[in-house]
Amino acid sequence: QVQLVESGGGSVQAGGSLRLSCAAYGYTYSSYCMGWFRQAPGEEREGVAIIDTDDRIRYADSVKGRFTISQDNAKNTLYLQMNRLKPEDTAMYYCAAKYGKAGYSFYYRDYDVRSFNYWGQGTQVTVSS
């Protein structure tokens, strides 16, 4: 049974940093495209960053240069290092996975979000000004 468990969210002031983690259970981690998505109240879920099975990465323009996605295949864990946080980064952050390569997730504006089969419960990030 596939399970994704996020941790590391919290409240910080603008300019601060947080590191999110996503522990994956129940599948061969390296065979899955992994991603971070976020959703603010009243907004659609949006892609933040994805990492393909060949380690290709895509970032949302709004986080480029501030956020870094990485993974440790030995630990079956995905990370999102978030630096220079802004109030507009406030959202629930979700880890997601789908079997195989990223495919259209590298090209669609919405990261082909519906193609991601597995989701964590989310971790809240709140950035105050």
Side-chain angles (χ1 to χ4, degrees):
Q1 181 178 354
V2 175
Q3 187 177 12
L4 302 173
V5 181
E6 301 103 332
S7 60
S11 297
V12 296
Q13 290 191 325
S17 298
L18 284 172
R19 188 193 195 202
L20 306 184
S21 298
C22 171
Y25 304 93
Y27 65 96
T28 305
Y29 179 85
S30 59
S31 298
Y32 283 67
C33 170
M34 302 294 297
W36 288 100
F37 293 79
R38 66 186 181 187
Q39 189 167 18
E43 302 288 334
E44 292 187 351
R45 191 166 296 189
E46 65 173 356
V48 175
I50 59 171
I51 183 165
D52 206 349
T53 55
D54 59 2
D55 292 333
R56 287 192 305 153
I57 290 173
R58 177 188 178 188
Y59 291 104
D61 289 343
S62 59
V63 308
K64 279 181 183 176
R66 301 188 298 121
F67 290 12
T68 302
I69 188 171
S70 63
Q71 60 189 356
D72 185 334
N73 287 345
K75 295 182 178 180
N76 285 7
T77 302
L78 180 74
Y79 303 100
L80 185 68
Q81 177 67 45
M82 305 185 294
N83 298 328
R84 304 200 309 274
L85 282 159
K86 304 176 181 180
E88 51 263 43
D89 294 318
T90 295
M92 186 72 78
Y93 283 70
Y94 297 92
C95 171
K98 64 174 179 178
Y99 180 75
K101 295 188 66 63
Y104 292 120
S105 295
F106 265 95
Y107 308 104
Y108 286 3
R109 187 180 70 85
D110 72 348
Y111 285 69
D112 197 18
V113 60
R114 286 176 290 183
S115 68
F116 284 82
N117 311 95
Y118 305 104
W119 293 85
Q121 81 286 354
T123 186
Q124 179 68 36
V125 172
T126 302
V127 185
S128 58
S129 57

